[in-house]
Amino acid sequence: MHTLEIESKKITIFGSENEGSHLSLGDTEAKARNEVLRSVQENTERICAFWNTTGIQTTFELNKGNHFVDSEIRMARGIKWILEH
């Protein structure tokens, strides 16, 4: 179990070095008017970096557009990552 603090909120992460994660995000979310959406990229990058320091193999993929652009391709890349790890 590991704890990460983001914006004064503690996040507890349960897992072991045998687990991993593939994170995919569109690059327009960081430019959104909505405050929550604007913080998603930075927080996702921080979580990815944190997980990698704890031994949880994690990749972060920043894609062009929002989360609807090329969703099938992005999902396929995520499934491929799972199968290879």
Side-chain angles (χ1 to χ4, degrees), residues 40 53 72:
V40 170
T53 65
E72 295 87 1

Side-chain angles (χ1 to χ4, degrees), residues 25-55:
L25 185 67
D27 63 0
T28 61
E29 276 84 350
K31 300 170 188 143
R33 284 180 275 182
N34 181 291
E35 183 179 332
V36 173
L37 283 178
R38 277 197 317 266
S39 66
V40 170
Q41 181 179 335
E42 181 181 342
N43 290 336
T44 302
E45 289 171 342
R46 290 176 67 188
I47 288 169
C48 180
F50 176 77
W51 279 352
N52 280 319
T53 65
T54 65

Side-chain angles (χ1 to χ4, degrees), residues 15-20 55-57 85:
S16 71
E17 64 277 356
N18 297 325
E19 296 178 341
I56 299 171
Q57 183 179 7
H85 296 87

